[in-house]
Amino acid sequence: MDTPPSPFEAGPTGTSPVLVGALAPLSRPGWAEAGRHLLAGLELAVEEANDAGGIGGRPLGLVVRDTAADPHRAAAAVDELARLGVAALAGEYHSVVARAAATRADALGLPFLCSSAVLDALTEQPTDRVARLAPAQSHGWRTYADFLLAAGHSRIAVAAEPSVYWTSGTRVLRDRLAPRGGTLVHLDAHALDPTALCDRLAESGATAVLLLVGHPEPAVPIVKAVRRDRRLAEILIGAPAGQPEFADWSASLGDDGTGIPFLRYLPERFSPLGVRVEAALRARLAGTPSFVAFEGYDTIAVLAEALRSHGTDRARTAASWPHLAVEGTRGRIRFSRTPGIGVWQWTWAPVQVVDRDPGDPGRFRTLHVGRGSADAPRSRPGGGGGPI
């Protein structure tokens, strides 16, 4: 179900708003909690932009559409939003969905700032109309591979489902690990039930298993099965895609969901802006905001600056990407061209590998910091570091 129209979309009196279309997975089978956090960040930034005078005196309005993790639904939403006259498009969490939205937005000449999706090939061909805040998968997942090697893991199993996203991630890991003596063992999470997967894992000789699968199914049953298998007591469970970031992971797994390293796109320490936004998001969400909420906020911060400084014409907005320099919650945001990536890319948002502390599941431990958030990657043996 789509969210109700905003007051701006419903036809306000007075000055007409500048509309931004927003895509987010707000219902199943999409990861609705991620969508809720993304939308919270988008909405907070819109409110603050309007408190600061809007766009040249015109209010900024958000027109939200639920993608439900469906690429076809997302493409149709882009068509609808373009007809509604939005100046730009924002959001989306799921990579395959974002790719469909980006491809359609490019075809329609609609500028799209992608908030959270990481798939390198976000569009079918290079384009000037699409930009992205999230680190590309090849960057973030190389950082995760570096963490595994530094932690002493060289034979690693991947429990993967069929997907362009998971296949791409596996390739990134293999390419990073192989020159350094690391090997991957593939376990088909679609064909094997959790018990059979544990049997294969026990036979594999791997010291770590990575969950390249959806949440809650089959991620939650796999974690429970591994945790209860005495043969696998010493194996590390990892989730590079970030499933343990959200509260529903902890609610589903409790203590079983701790000690599982994942990628998180936050700095070690927030700037004053980040501290202020974190407090506002915490109040809005009635809980700890995820990195996805900050991505949402930064998306609107960038778009608001583009619309103020370059006008609301779509072509001019799309042409503004390389000229923007915006202070975001996680650092100064500038866009550039990156080899192998066909869109304008922030290189890079901060990248961390963190886990939930087994002694305090609500606390996150920083295990490794990647390039982009520090001068060089570094690991923290034993999972030191304070709350984020």
Side-chain angles (χ1 to χ4, degrees), residues 23 74-79 81-82 86 88-90 97-114 122-123 127-131 314 318 321:
L23 302 177
V78 174
D79 285 343
L81 291 166
V86 300
L89 191 66
V97 178
R99 185 172 65 169
T103 299
R104 190 60 188 149
D106 184 37
L108 295 173
L110 182 60
F112 175 31
L113 180 51
C114 182
L122 193 58
T123 54
T127 176
D128 289 329
R129 298 185 181 96
V130 180
R314 291 174 179 174
W321 305 130

PDB file of all heavy atoms in Angstrom, residues 23 74-79 81-82 86 88-90 97-114 122-123 127-131 314 318 321:
ATOM      1  N   LEU A  23      11.174   6.951  -2.903  1.00  0.00           N
ATOM      2  CA  LEU A  23      10.931   5.516  -3.002  1.00  0.00           C
ATOM      3  C   LEU A  23      11.514   4.824  -1.779  1.00  0.00           C
ATOM      4  O   LEU A  23      12.650   5.082  -1.383  1.00  0.00           O
ATOM      5  CB  LEU A  23      11.589   4.948  -4.260  1.00  0.00           C
ATOM      6  CG  LEU A  23      11.179   5.550  -5.600  1.00  0.00           C
ATOM      7  CD1 LEU A  23      11.995   4.922  -6.728  1.00  0.00           C
ATOM      8  CD2 LEU A  23       9.692   5.379  -5.841  1.00  0.00           C
ATOM      9  N   ALA A  74       8.538  -0.359  -8.617  1.00  0.00           N
ATOM     10  CA  ALA A  74       9.370   0.833  -8.519  1.00  0.00           C
ATOM     11  C   ALA A  74       9.403   1.590  -9.838  1.00  0.00           C
ATOM     12  O   ALA A  74       9.282   2.822  -9.868  1.00  0.00           O
ATOM     13  CB  ALA A  74      10.785   0.448  -8.090  1.00  0.00           C
ATOM     14  N   ALA A  75       9.563   0.877 -10.945  1.00  0.00           N
ATOM     15  CA  ALA A  75       9.593   1.530 -12.256  1.00  0.00           C
ATOM     16  C   ALA A  75       8.268   2.232 -12.537  1.00  0.00           C
ATOM     17  O   ALA A  75       8.243   3.364 -13.065  1.00  0.00           O
ATOM     18  CB  ALA A  75       9.905   0.508 -13.340  1.00  0.00           C
ATOM     19  N   ALA A  76       7.152   1.583 -12.174  1.00  0.00           N
ATOM     20  CA  ALA A  76       5.837   2.212 -12.366  1.00  0.00           C
ATOM     21  C   ALA A  76       5.699   3.455 -11.492  1.00  0.00           C
ATOM     22  O   ALA A  76       5.105   4.460 -11.911  1.00  0.00           O
ATOM     23  CB  ALA A  76       4.735   1.210 -12.045  1.00  0.00           C
ATOM     24  N   ALA A  77       6.252   3.397 -10.277  1.00  0.00           N
ATOM     25  CA  ALA A  77       6.191   4.559  -9.392  1.00  0.00           C
ATOM     26  C   ALA A  77       6.989   5.724  -9.967  1.00  0.00           C
ATOM     27  O   ALA A  77       6.572   6.883  -9.851  1.00  0.00           O
ATOM     28  CB  ALA A  77       6.718   4.188  -8.008  1.00  0.00           C
ATOM     29  N   VAL A  78       8.126   5.431 -10.588  1.00  0.00           N
ATOM     30  CA  VAL A  78       8.916   6.493 -11.216  1.00  0.00           C
ATOM     31  C   VAL A  78       8.101   7.168 -12.319  1.00  0.00           C
ATOM     32  O   VAL A  78       8.090   8.397 -12.441  1.00  0.00           O
ATOM     33  CB  VAL A  78      10.241   5.939 -11.759  1.00  0.00           C
ATOM     34  CG1 VAL A  78      10.993   7.011 -12.547  1.00  0.00           C
ATOM     35  CG2 VAL A  78      11.111   5.420 -10.623  1.00  0.00           C
ATOM     36  N   ASP A  79       7.421   6.368 -13.131  1.00  0.00           N
ATOM     37  CA  ASP A  79       6.560   6.934 -14.173  1.00  0.00           C
ATOM     38  C   ASP A  79       5.500   7.862 -13.566  1.00  0.00           C
ATOM     39  O   ASP A  79       5.261   8.973 -14.056  1.00  0.00           O
ATOM     40  CB  ASP A  79       5.862   5.819 -14.955  1.00  0.00           C
ATOM     41  CG  ASP A  79       6.789   5.098 -15.913  1.00  0.00           C
ATOM     42  OD1 ASP A  79       7.862   5.631 -16.230  1.00  0.00           O
ATOM     43  OD2 ASP A  79       6.420   3.987 -16.356  1.00  0.00           O
ATOM     44  N   LEU A  81       5.500   9.383 -10.611  1.00  0.00           N
ATOM     45  CA  LEU A  81       6.093  10.563  -9.987  1.00  0.00           C
ATOM     46  C   LEU A  81       6.537  11.580 -11.035  1.00  0.00           C
ATOM     47  O   LEU A  81       6.399  12.794 -10.832  1.00  0.00           O
ATOM     48  CB  LEU A  81       7.265  10.141  -9.098  1.00  0.00           C
ATOM     49  CG  LEU A  81       6.862   9.351  -7.844  1.00  0.00           C
ATOM     50  CD1 LEU A  81       8.076   8.691  -7.202  1.00  0.00           C
ATOM     51  CD2 LEU A  81       6.162  10.262  -6.837  1.00  0.00           C
ATOM     52  N   ALA A  82       7.044  11.081 -12.151  1.00  0.00           N
ATOM     53  CA  ALA A  82       7.430  11.995 -13.232  1.00  0.00           C
ATOM     54  C   ALA A  82       6.208  12.749 -13.748  1.00  0.00           C
ATOM     55  O   ALA A  82       6.267  13.963 -14.001  1.00  0.00           O
ATOM     56  CB  ALA A  82       8.114  11.224 -14.355  1.00  0.00           C
ATOM     57  N   VAL A  86       7.442  15.880 -10.132  1.00  0.00           N
ATOM     58  CA  VAL A  86       8.511  16.002  -9.141  1.00  0.00           C
ATOM     59  C   VAL A  86       9.766  16.560  -9.802  1.00  0.00           C
ATOM     60  O   VAL A  86      10.061  16.285 -10.973  1.00  0.00           O
ATOM     61  CB  VAL A  86       8.809  14.653  -8.457  1.00  0.00           C
ATOM     62  CG1 VAL A  86       7.571  14.122  -7.746  1.00  0.00           C
ATOM     63  CG2 VAL A  86       9.352  13.616  -9.431  1.00  0.00           C
ATOM     64  N   ALA A  88      12.818  15.938  -8.649  1.00  0.00           N
ATOM     65  CA  ALA A  88      13.875  14.935  -8.525  1.00  0.00           C
ATOM     66  C   ALA A  88      13.312  13.732  -7.784  1.00  0.00           C
ATOM     67  O   ALA A  88      12.222  13.782  -7.193  1.00  0.00           O
ATOM     68  CB  ALA A  88      15.086  15.507  -7.786  1.00  0.00           C
ATOM     69  N   LEU A  89      14.086  12.676  -7.794  1.00  0.00           N
ATOM     70  CA  LEU A  89      13.716  11.415  -7.158  1.00  0.00           C
ATOM     71  C   LEU A  89      14.766  11.089  -6.098  1.00  0.00           C
ATOM     72  O   LEU A  89      15.960  11.337  -6.297  1.00  0.00           O
ATOM     73  CB  LEU A  89      13.669  10.307  -8.211  1.00  0.00           C
ATOM     74  CG  LEU A  89      13.062   8.957  -7.849  1.00  0.00           C
ATOM     75  CD1 LEU A  89      11.570   9.108  -7.574  1.00  0.00           C
ATOM     76  CD2 LEU A  89      13.290   7.965  -8.987  1.00  0.00           C
ATOM     77  N   ALA A  90      14.318  10.500  -4.975  1.00  0.00           N
ATOM     78  CA  ALA A  90      15.215  10.175  -3.868  1.00  0.00           C
ATOM     79  C   ALA A  90      14.880   8.804  -3.315  1.00  0.00           C
ATOM     80  O   ALA A  90      13.775   8.297  -3.482  1.00  0.00           O
ATOM     81  CB  ALA A  90      15.080  11.222  -2.757  1.00  0.00           C
ATOM     82  N   VAL A  97      15.960  -3.176  -6.838  1.00  0.00           N
ATOM     83  CA  VAL A  97      14.848  -2.250  -7.026  1.00  0.00           C
ATOM     84  C   VAL A  97      15.371  -0.875  -7.443  1.00  0.00           C
ATOM     85  O   VAL A  97      14.838  -0.232  -8.353  1.00  0.00           O
ATOM     86  CB  VAL A  97      14.014  -2.153  -5.734  1.00  0.00           C
ATOM     87  CG1 VAL A  97      12.878  -1.161  -5.899  1.00  0.00           C
ATOM     88  CG2 VAL A  97      13.471  -3.525  -5.356  1.00  0.00           C
ATOM     89  N   ALA A  98      16.415  -0.431  -6.772  1.00  0.00           N
ATOM     90  CA  ALA A  98      17.005   0.877  -7.105  1.00  0.00           C
ATOM     91  C   ALA A  98      17.526   0.890  -8.532  1.00  0.00           C
ATOM     92  O   ALA A  98      17.443   1.916  -9.221  1.00  0.00           O
ATOM     93  CB  ALA A  98      18.128   1.209  -6.131  1.00  0.00           C
ATOM     94  N   ARG A  99      18.052  -0.240  -8.987  1.00  0.00           N
ATOM     95  CA  ARG A  99      18.557  -0.299 -10.361  1.00  0.00           C
ATOM     96  C   ARG A  99      17.406  -0.109 -11.359  1.00  0.00           C
ATOM     97  O   ARG A  99      17.546   0.627 -12.352  1.00  0.00           O
ATOM     98  CB  ARG A  99      19.259  -1.625 -10.620  1.00  0.00           C
ATOM     99  CG  ARG A  99      19.905  -1.685 -11.995  1.00  0.00           C
ATOM    100  CD  ARG A  99      20.763  -2.906 -12.167  1.00  0.00           C
ATOM    101  NE  ARG A  99      19.999  -4.147 -12.126  1.00  0.00           N
ATOM    102  CZ  ARG A  99      20.499  -5.325 -12.470  1.00  0.00           C
ATOM    103  NH1 ARG A  99      21.761  -5.417 -12.858  1.00  0.00           N
ATOM    104  NH2 ARG A  99      19.755  -6.410 -12.399  1.00  0.00           N
ATOM    105  N   ALA A 100      16.260  -0.725 -11.088  1.00  0.00           N
ATOM    106  CA  ALA A 100      15.102  -0.541 -11.973  1.00  0.00           C
ATOM    107  C   ALA A 100      14.629   0.908 -11.951  1.00  0.00           C
ATOM    108  O   ALA A 100      14.287   1.484 -12.995  1.00  0.00           O
ATOM    109  CB  ALA A 100      13.971  -1.475 -11.545  1.00  0.00           C
ATOM    110  N   ALA A 101      14.607   1.503 -10.754  1.00  0.00           N
ATOM    111  CA  ALA A 101      14.175   2.894 -10.638  1.00  0.00           C
ATOM    112  C   ALA A 101      15.148   3.829 -11.337  1.00  0.00           C
ATOM    113  O   ALA A 101      14.735   4.775 -12.025  1.00  0.00           O
ATOM    114  CB  ALA A 101      14.048   3.272  -9.164  1.00  0.00           C
ATOM    115  N   ALA A 102      16.448   3.583 -11.166  1.00  0.00           N
ATOM    116  CA  ALA A 102      17.455   4.447 -11.777  1.00  0.00           C
ATOM    117  C   ALA A 102      17.405   4.365 -13.294  1.00  0.00           C
ATOM    118  O   ALA A 102      17.527   5.383 -13.990  1.00  0.00           O
ATOM    119  CB  ALA A 102      18.842   4.065 -11.265  1.00  0.00           C
ATOM    120  N   THR A 103      17.229   3.165 -13.814  1.00  0.00           N
ATOM    121  CA  THR A 103      17.153   2.992 -15.263  1.00  0.00           C
ATOM    122  C   THR A 103      15.958   3.737 -15.834  1.00  0.00           C
ATOM    123  O   THR A 103      16.059   4.410 -16.869  1.00  0.00           O
ATOM    124  CB  THR A 103      17.073   1.495 -15.607  1.00  0.00           C
ATOM    125  OG1 THR A 103      18.254   0.845 -15.141  1.00  0.00           O
ATOM    126  CG2 THR A 103      16.938   1.278 -17.104  1.00  0.00           C
ATOM    127  N   ARG A 104      14.809   3.648 -15.136  1.00  0.00           N
ATOM    128  CA  ARG A 104      13.616   4.331 -15.623  1.00  0.00           C
ATOM    129  C   ARG A 104      13.749   5.844 -15.477  1.00  0.00           C
ATOM    130  O   ARG A 104      13.352   6.604 -16.374  1.00  0.00           O
ATOM    131  CB  ARG A 104      12.386   3.828 -14.853  1.00  0.00           C
ATOM    132  CG  ARG A 104      11.067   4.308 -15.439  1.00  0.00           C
ATOM    133  CD  ARG A 104      10.908   3.829 -16.858  1.00  0.00           C
ATOM    134  NE  ARG A 104       9.745   4.434 -17.515  1.00  0.00           N
ATOM    135  CZ  ARG A 104       9.671   4.683 -18.806  1.00  0.00           C
ATOM    136  NH1 ARG A 104      10.701   4.420 -19.605  1.00  0.00           N
ATOM    137  NH2 ARG A 104       8.588   5.206 -19.316  1.00  0.00           N
ATOM    138  N   ALA A 105      14.302   6.308 -14.350  1.00  0.00           N
ATOM    139  CA  ALA A 105      14.493   7.739 -14.146  1.00  0.00           C
ATOM    140  C   ALA A 105      15.409   8.319 -15.219  1.00  0.00           C
ATOM    141  O   ALA A 105      15.152   9.402 -15.761  1.00  0.00           O
ATOM    142  CB  ALA A 105      15.067   8.000 -12.756  1.00  0.00           C
ATOM    143  N   ASP A 106      16.462   7.598 -15.546  1.00  0.00           N
ATOM    144  CA  ASP A 106      17.380   8.055 -16.580  1.00  0.00           C
ATOM    145  C   ASP A 106      16.665   8.186 -17.918  1.00  0.00           C
ATOM    146  O   ASP A 106      16.840   9.177 -18.643  1.00  0.00           O
ATOM    147  CB  ASP A 106      18.549   7.071 -16.683  1.00  0.00           C
ATOM    148  CG  ASP A 106      19.601   7.504 -17.672  1.00  0.00           C
ATOM    149  OD1 ASP A 106      19.865   8.721 -17.771  1.00  0.00           O
ATOM    150  OD2 ASP A 106      20.165   6.635 -18.359  1.00  0.00           O
ATOM    151  N   ALA A 107      15.829   7.209 -18.245  1.00  0.00           N
ATOM    152  CA  ALA A 107      15.098   7.244 -19.517  1.00  0.00           C
ATOM    153  C   ALA A 107      14.134   8.426 -19.585  1.00  0.00           C
ATOM    154  O   ALA A 107      13.883   8.968 -20.670  1.00  0.00           O
ATOM    155  CB  ALA A 107      14.335   5.933 -19.714  1.00  0.00           C
ATOM    156  N   LEU A 108      13.616   8.845 -18.430  1.00  0.00           N
ATOM    157  CA  LEU A 108      12.643   9.939 -18.383  1.00  0.00           C
ATOM    158  C   LEU A 108      13.297  11.303 -18.174  1.00  0.00           C
ATOM    159  O   LEU A 108      12.604  12.321 -18.137  1.00  0.00           O
ATOM    160  CB  LEU A 108      11.636   9.682 -17.258  1.00  0.00           C
ATOM    161  CG  LEU A 108      10.730   8.463 -17.419  1.00  0.00           C
ATOM    162  CD1 LEU A 108       9.908   8.248 -16.154  1.00  0.00           C
ATOM    163  CD2 LEU A 108       9.812   8.623 -18.629  1.00  0.00           C
ATOM    164  N   GLY A 109      14.617  11.324 -18.004  1.00  0.00           N
ATOM    165  CA  GLY A 109      15.300  12.586 -17.751  1.00  0.00           C
ATOM    166  C   GLY A 109      15.055  13.132 -16.355  1.00  0.00           C
ATOM    167  O   GLY A 109      15.146  14.340 -16.122  1.00  0.00           O
ATOM    168  N   LEU A 110      14.791  12.241 -15.392  1.00  0.00           N
ATOM    169  CA  LEU A 110      14.474  12.633 -14.028  1.00  0.00           C
ATOM    170  C   LEU A 110      15.692  12.420 -13.137  1.00  0.00           C
ATOM    171  O   LEU A 110      16.167  11.296 -12.993  1.00  0.00           O
ATOM    172  CB  LEU A 110      13.303  11.791 -13.514  1.00  0.00           C
ATOM    173  CG  LEU A 110      12.772  12.070 -12.111  1.00  0.00           C
ATOM    174  CD1 LEU A 110      12.267  13.499 -12.000  1.00  0.00           C
ATOM    175  CD2 LEU A 110      11.660  11.079 -11.773  1.00  0.00           C
ATOM    176  N   PRO A 111      16.240  13.465 -12.523  1.00  0.00           N
ATOM    177  CA  PRO A 111      17.402  13.266 -11.655  1.00  0.00           C
ATOM    178  C   PRO A 111      17.039  12.406 -10.441  1.00  0.00           C
ATOM    179  O   PRO A 111      15.989  12.602  -9.831  1.00  0.00           O
ATOM    180  CB  PRO A 111      17.797  14.685 -11.236  1.00  0.00           C
ATOM    181  CG  PRO A 111      16.608  15.537 -11.521  1.00  0.00           C
ATOM    182  CD  PRO A 111      15.855  14.882 -12.629  1.00  0.00           C
ATOM    183  N   PHE A 112      17.909  11.475 -10.111  1.00  0.00           N
ATOM    184  CA  PHE A 112      17.670  10.517  -9.029  1.00  0.00           C
ATOM    185  C   PHE A 112      18.899  10.464  -8.139  1.00  0.00           C
ATOM    186  O   PHE A 112      19.991  10.144  -8.606  1.00  0.00           O
ATOM    187  CB  PHE A 112      17.375   9.135  -9.629  1.00  0.00           C
ATOM    188  CG  PHE A 112      17.216   8.016  -8.619  1.00  0.00           C
ATOM    189  CD1 PHE A 112      16.710   8.241  -7.347  1.00  0.00           C
ATOM    190  CD2 PHE A 112      17.550   6.715  -8.968  1.00  0.00           C
ATOM    191  CE1 PHE A 112      16.550   7.208  -6.435  1.00  0.00           C
ATOM    192  CE2 PHE A 112      17.397   5.662  -8.066  1.00  0.00           C
ATOM    193  CZ  PHE A 112      16.898   5.910  -6.796  1.00  0.00           C
ATOM    194  N   LEU A 113      18.716  10.785  -6.860  1.00  0.00           N
ATOM    195  CA  LEU A 113      19.778  10.619  -5.871  1.00  0.00           C
ATOM    196  C   LEU A 113      19.447   9.385  -5.044  1.00  0.00           C
ATOM    197  O   LEU A 113      18.531   9.404  -4.224  1.00  0.00           O
ATOM    198  CB  LEU A 113      19.907  11.855  -4.980  1.00  0.00           C
ATOM    199  CG  LEU A 113      20.998  11.795  -3.910  1.00  0.00           C
ATOM    200  CD1 LEU A 113      22.343  11.386  -4.490  1.00  0.00           C
ATOM    201  CD2 LEU A 113      21.103  13.122  -3.175  1.00  0.00           C
ATOM    202  N   CYS A 114      20.176   8.313  -5.290  1.00  0.00           N
ATOM    203  CA  CYS A 114      19.940   7.036  -4.616  1.00  0.00           C
ATOM    204  C   CYS A 114      20.555   7.077  -3.224  1.00  0.00           C
ATOM    205  O   CYS A 114      21.738   7.387  -3.074  1.00  0.00           O
ATOM    206  CB  CYS A 114      20.529   5.905  -5.445  1.00  0.00           C
ATOM    207  SG  CYS A 114      20.249   4.268  -4.740  1.00  0.00           S
ATOM    208  N   LEU A 122      24.394   0.329 -11.036  1.00  0.00           N
ATOM    209  CA  LEU A 122      23.100   0.877 -10.666  1.00  0.00           C
ATOM    210  C   LEU A 122      22.268   1.242 -11.887  1.00  0.00           C
ATOM    211  O   LEU A 122      21.041   1.308 -11.824  1.00  0.00           O
ATOM    212  CB  LEU A 122      23.302   2.108  -9.775  1.00  0.00           C
ATOM    213  CG  LEU A 122      22.087   2.643  -9.037  1.00  0.00           C
ATOM    214  CD1 LEU A 122      21.456   1.586  -8.136  1.00  0.00           C
ATOM    215  CD2 LEU A 122      22.456   3.880  -8.229  1.00  0.00           C
ATOM    216  N   THR A 123      22.926   1.486 -13.008  1.00  0.00           N
ATOM    217  CA  THR A 123      22.232   1.736 -14.265  1.00  0.00           C
ATOM    218  C   THR A 123      22.829   0.848 -15.343  1.00  0.00           C
ATOM    219  O   THR A 123      23.964   0.381 -15.231  1.00  0.00           O
ATOM    220  CB  THR A 123      22.352   3.208 -14.697  1.00  0.00           C
ATOM    221  OG1 THR A 123      23.738   3.573 -14.742  1.00  0.00           O
ATOM    222  CG2 THR A 123      21.623   4.119 -13.734  1.00  0.00           C
ATOM    223  N   THR A 127      25.369   7.359 -16.932  1.00  0.00           N
ATOM    224  CA  THR A 127      24.397   8.444 -17.009  1.00  0.00           C
ATOM    225  C   THR A 127      24.840   9.609 -16.136  1.00  0.00           C
ATOM    226  O   THR A 127      25.513   9.414 -15.110  1.00  0.00           O
ATOM    227  CB  THR A 127      23.001   7.977 -16.560  1.00  0.00           C
ATOM    228  OG1 THR A 127      22.107   9.092 -16.570  1.00  0.00           O
ATOM    229  CG2 THR A 127      23.037   7.386 -15.165  1.00  0.00           C
ATOM    230  N   ASP A 128      24.446  10.812 -16.520  1.00  0.00           N
ATOM    231  CA  ASP A 128      24.688  12.003 -15.717  1.00  0.00           C
ATOM    232  C   ASP A 128      23.512  12.322 -14.803  1.00  0.00           C
ATOM    233  O   ASP A 128      23.609  13.221 -13.970  1.00  0.00           O
ATOM    234  CB  ASP A 128      24.942  13.211 -16.626  1.00  0.00           C
ATOM    235  CG  ASP A 128      26.286  13.140 -17.333  1.00  0.00           C
ATOM    236  OD1 ASP A 128      27.225  12.570 -16.742  1.00  0.00           O
ATOM    237  OD2 ASP A 128      26.396  13.640 -18.468  1.00  0.00           O
ATOM    238  N   ARG A 129      22.409  11.605 -14.956  1.00  0.00           N
ATOM    239  CA  ARG A 129      21.197  11.965 -14.219  1.00  0.00           C
ATOM    240  C   ARG A 129      21.112  11.322 -12.837  1.00  0.00           C
ATOM    241  O   ARG A 129      20.305  11.735 -12.012  1.00  0.00           O
ATOM    242  CB  ARG A 129      19.962  11.581 -15.042  1.00  0.00           C
ATOM    243  CG  ARG A 129      19.863  12.317 -16.374  1.00  0.00           C
ATOM    244  CD  ARG A 129      18.565  12.000 -17.078  1.00  0.00           C
ATOM    245  NE  ARG A 129      18.477  12.690 -18.352  1.00  0.00           N
ATOM    246  CZ  ARG A 129      18.812  12.155 -19.522  1.00  0.00           C
ATOM    247  NH1 ARG A 129      19.261  10.902 -19.562  1.00  0.00           N
ATOM    248  NH2 ARG A 129      18.689  12.856 -20.647  1.00  0.00           N
ATOM    249  N   VAL A 130      21.914  10.284 -12.596  1.00  0.00           N
ATOM    250  CA  VAL A 130      21.805   9.523 -11.355  1.00  0.00           C
ATOM    251  C   VAL A 130      23.065   9.717 -10.519  1.00  0.00           C
ATOM    252  O   VAL A 130      24.183   9.679 -11.042  1.00  0.00           O
ATOM    253  CB  VAL A 130      21.594   8.025 -11.641  1.00  0.00           C
ATOM    254  CG1 VAL A 130      21.472   7.235 -10.338  1.00  0.00           C
ATOM    255  CG2 VAL A 130      20.340   7.828 -12.500  1.00  0.00           C
ATOM    256  N   ALA A 131      22.870   9.931  -9.228  1.00  0.00           N
ATOM    257  CA  ALA A 131      23.975  10.016  -8.279  1.00  0.00           C
ATOM    258  C   ALA A 131      23.654   9.116  -7.086  1.00  0.00           C
ATOM    259  O   ALA A 131      22.503   8.726  -6.882  1.00  0.00           O
ATOM    260  CB  ALA A 131      24.187  11.454  -7.824  1.00  0.00           C
ATOM    261  N   ARG A 314      14.756  20.048 -14.167  1.00  0.00           N
ATOM    262  CA  ARG A 314      15.357  18.720 -14.010  1.00  0.00           C
ATOM    263  C   ARG A 314      16.747  18.628 -14.623  1.00  0.00           C
ATOM    264  O   ARG A 314      17.664  18.038 -14.041  1.00  0.00           O
ATOM    265  CB  ARG A 314      14.434  17.655 -14.612  1.00  0.00           C
ATOM    266  CG  ARG A 314      13.152  17.445 -13.828  1.00  0.00           C
ATOM    267  CD  ARG A 314      12.211  16.501 -14.549  1.00  0.00           C
ATOM    268  NE  ARG A 314      10.987  16.263 -13.801  1.00  0.00           N
ATOM    269  CZ  ARG A 314       9.959  15.560 -14.268  1.00  0.00           C
ATOM    270  NH1 ARG A 314      10.009  15.032 -15.496  1.00  0.00           N
ATOM    271  NH2 ARG A 314       8.879  15.381 -13.513  1.00  0.00           N
ATOM    272  N   ALA A 318      20.225  17.743 -12.594  1.00  0.00           N
ATOM    273  CA  ALA A 318      21.093  16.626 -12.954  1.00  0.00           C
ATOM    274  C   ALA A 318      22.507  17.101 -13.265  1.00  0.00           C
ATOM    275  O   ALA A 318      23.487  16.378 -12.996  1.00  0.00           O
ATOM    276  CB  ALA A 318      20.509  15.881 -14.154  1.00  0.00           C
ATOM    277  N   TRP A 321      25.363  17.730 -10.029  1.00  0.00           N
ATOM    278  CA  TRP A 321      26.047  16.761  -9.158  1.00  0.00           C
ATOM    279  C   TRP A 321      27.530  17.068  -8.954  1.00  0.00           C
ATOM    280  O   TRP A 321      27.995  17.093  -7.801  1.00  0.00           O
ATOM    281  CB  TRP A 321      25.893  15.330  -9.678  1.00  0.00           C
ATOM    282  CG  TRP A 321      24.508  14.804  -9.913  1.00  0.00           C
ATOM    283  CD1 TRP A 321      24.051  14.195 -11.039  1.00  0.00           C
ATOM    284  CD2 TRP A 321      23.395  14.782  -8.996  1.00  0.00           C
ATOM    285  NE1 TRP A 321      22.732  13.815 -10.912  1.00  0.00           N
ATOM    286  CE2 TRP A 321      22.299  14.157  -9.655  1.00  0.00           C
ATOM    287  CE3 TRP A 321      23.215  15.238  -7.697  1.00  0.00           C
ATOM    288  CZ2 TRP A 321      21.062  13.975  -9.065  1.00  0.00           C
ATOM    289  CZ3 TRP A 321      21.978  15.068  -7.101  1.00  0.00           C
ATOM    290  CH2 TRP A 321      20.913  14.436  -7.775  1.00  0.00           C
TER     291      TRP A 321
END
